[in-house]
Amino acid sequence: MEATLEPRLVMRGEEDEPFVAGEFFVAAYQRGYRWGRAEVRQLLDDIKAHARNAEKRRALPTDYYLQPIVVLKRADGTWELVDGQQRLTTLFLITKYVATKFSDAKLDYWLTYETREDSRDYLDTLDPDRRDDNIDFHHIARAYEAIVEWFGEQQSAGQAAIDLHSALSKWVRVIWYEAPEGTDPNELFTRLNRDRIPLTDSELIKALVLSHSGAADGKMGRQQEIAAQWDAFERDLRDEEFWAFLTRSTTRKPTHIDFLFESMTPHAGLRERPRYWTFGKVQEDIATRGAAEFWRDVVERHGLLTGWFRDRDLYHRIGYLVQVGDSIQDLIDAATTRSHSSFRRDLIRRTQERLNLTSDDISNLRYGKDNAKCTNVLLLMNVETVLASKDKGSRFSFHAYVDTWSLEHIHAQNPEAFGKETERRDWLRAHQKKIQETDWGAGQKSAVDGLLERINAHLELAEGKTDDAGFEEIFRSVLSLFSAPGADLADGDLHGLGNLALLQRDLNSKLNNAVFALKREQVIALDEAGAYLLPCTRNVFLKYYTASADQQLSLWGPQDQDAYYAKLIDKVKPFLHRDDTLAVGAQA
């Protein structure tokens, strides 16, 4: 038997609306009532704020869901309250107060604490002479005082009581979760409380779907089929490549299937989803259309997303758009309202709109002022390079890309980037070693020896004795030594796309402002070790783009930049505007 679930009003409302009723038993494995003034007031304030927000919208309040009340049926017909005693006891006390101001208010449930004799009687009377009989009665008395205080602060305590009665009997609901028969209440309590693992939207939705999918009609096979599909969908979404492709995230969650339901319940106009908002929307959908229709849509949504993931072209096009900020919900909406061919064309158009660049615009992009655009262009070059590969099994790894790559100069830029003396010394030592290991021509020996002497002299300065001018002179001499003939270090192209690549952030931090030869050495070592490298970054440092006749493996010069930039334009050209208004994708 699966768990059963339904939203229930706190107080009796319209006919046929389920509400909280019955006798609740709080077993000894639970701690007693411990809510204080802050928690009690927060609950009342939240309900009031929800009503006010609806009033501002000139609308009736939507259903407001409190945390689940987890119960287990006992042999005598009462309920064992496994989780939710703090909330349910507080709601009981609020209802008691409302009943003192509004005669229509009525209590339909009671609580009994196994560890407290006469606890039901005390809750019924709140006898002040017994408030200090035990710690639970003491906290209950203080909670009721906080409730009285809160109502006393309202413009009219009587009207506030009427408003609360309306809320509790019309739109404030608990999520009633009845655990399956045979559940060990101690183990369930431990999972929900001591381990701090709350019920997620998806767990509640699962109970709702299964409870509406055949048990009452004797169709246990249908429940088993849905349960098996559920597990398969969860497994698929836990695939790290699939998850990063859809969400631009590597963060693992307790359940990933929530993503499917969230994609089916858009929350336009809300900054964030309120607690159990997704569950509430699904519950409304099932109440309107039935569980079978809802689950059919879930299967279809899963099929759509896995279809994208398996289609090599769609995987790269959609994955790129998600990485640069497109909403997965917008993409889903576009896919479900267009033909397959039209949707593919739309992906080109969307990419074009995301870039919003012409060829002239790209040539003017610069590190420092256009970092986001530079990153988007370089990422697109990498994605398109993989997509164009003759190896049809190759795929760009969006999982490997998320949060691990940053924009970096291929060849060093300037000495101003070094804010600390220790960083300068580390840079000098690394380049001193590279200069000593490099075979220099006879005509360069004198200059190299002189440069090494200056480096040694700078490193021999006492700690804290910074020589800014001396370091800058050495820095520029090292750059000149490792620069190809004809390279102009003052040229603006130093900060253009022809001298930029996406490097792993940890490598970037270690080699910040290192010359090309030193970075190339490290990238090759990573490649040999089997590390994941972005394809175009790997190609740059292996001199893949430079014609063999022009190659100088330890240098990065104008001919290298020109060849690299030409390849970049070739890859991203289909996504550029032909002029300021004409989009290539719109002509497809």
Side-chain angles (χ1 to χ4, degrees), residues 415 418 424 427-428 458 467-475:
F418 298 99
R424 297 172 185 167
W427 189 92
L428 288 170
H458 193 96
D467 179 6
D468 292 348
F471 174 76
E472 183 170 348
E473 183 183 347
I474 293 171
F475 182 93

Side-chain angles (χ1 to χ4, degrees), residues 65-101:
Y65 291 95
L66 301 174
Q67 294 275 8
I69 300 298
V70 181
V71 297
L72 190 63
K73 193 79 168 181
R74 302 176 76 208
D76 61 1
T78 61
W79 300 105
E80 181 161 345
L81 183 57
V82 180
D83 189 48
Q85 65 136 322
Q86 307 293 329
R87 290 179 297 280
L88 204 57
T89 302
T90 305
L91 290 167
F92 178 90
L93 296 173
I94 292 172
T95 305
K96 274 190 72 67
Y97 177 85
V98 169
T100 68
K101 300 289 185 180

Side-chain angles (χ1 to χ4, degrees), residues 133-269:
D133 282 5
N134 57 66
I135 190 64
D136 295 320
F137 291 1
H138 174 77
H139 282 290
I140 289 170
R142 293 192 63 180
Y144 191 74
E145 289 169 356
I147 292 168
V148 173
E149 175 189 65
W150 186 90
F151 277 96
E153 293 171 358
Q154 308 310 304
Q155 189 170 3
S156 165
Q159 184 59 50
I162 293 172
D163 293 343
L164 253 294
H165 176 267
S166 179
L168 298 177
S169 62
K170 291 182 179 179
W171 47 266
V172 176
R173 302 174 188 270
V174 299
I175 299 172
W176 179 269
Y177 186 97
E178 183 181 346
E181 183 180 348
T183 298
D184 184 320
N186 286 275
E187 290 181 3
L188 182 56
F189 175 80
T190 298
R191 188 180 84 83
L192 296 173
N193 290 274
R194 295 176 192 165
D195 295 341
R196 300 296 178 193
I197 304 175
L199 287 168
T200 63
D201 279 282
S202 62
E203 287 180 291
L204 298 172
I205 291 169
K206 183 177 184 180
L208 186 66
V209 171
L210 292 178
S211 66
H212 284 75
S213 298
D217 302 325
K219 300 176 182 176
M220 295 301 295
R222 180 57 179 154
Q223 282 191 325
Q224 293 168 357
E225 179 186 352
I226 291 174
Q229 288 176 316
W230 186 288
D231 292 342
F233 297 169
E234 177 67 28
R235 263 194 320 274
D236 288 344
L237 289 163
R238 284 193 169 277
D239 180 281
E240 59 187 20
E241 293 290 346
F242 191 27
W243 187 246
F245 160 71
L246 292 172
T247 66
R248 192 174 56 175
S249 172
T250 57
T251 302
R252 300 186 72 83
K253 297 185 175 184
T255 53
H256 284 202
I257 198 171
D258 296 82
F259 179 86
L260 287 181
F261 308 127
E262 289 168 4
S263 77
M264 296 169 64
T265 54
H267 62 297

Side-chain angles (χ1 to χ4, degrees), residues 301-353:
R301 178 58 48 86
H302 171 263
L304 174 71
L305 299 179
T306 54
W308 287 356
F309 185 65
R310 291 165 185 159
D311 184 304
R312 192 164 178 270
D313 184 69
L314 291 178
Y315 167 79
H316 288 93
R317 300 267 190 254
I318 293 170
Y320 172 79
L321 285 168
V322 171
Q323 288 295 320
V324 298
D326 255 33
S327 160
I328 192 72
Q329 187 61 56
D330 286 348
L331 292 167
I332 290 170
D333 291 344
T336 54
T337 56
R338 294 173 178 267
S339 68
H340 194 64
S341 58
S342 175
F343 177 62
R344 288 180 184 270
R345 289 194 298 271
D346 188 54
L347 295 177
I348 303 294
R349 180 192 62 79
R350 284 173 176 270
T351 303
Q352 195 173 45
E353 288 180 355

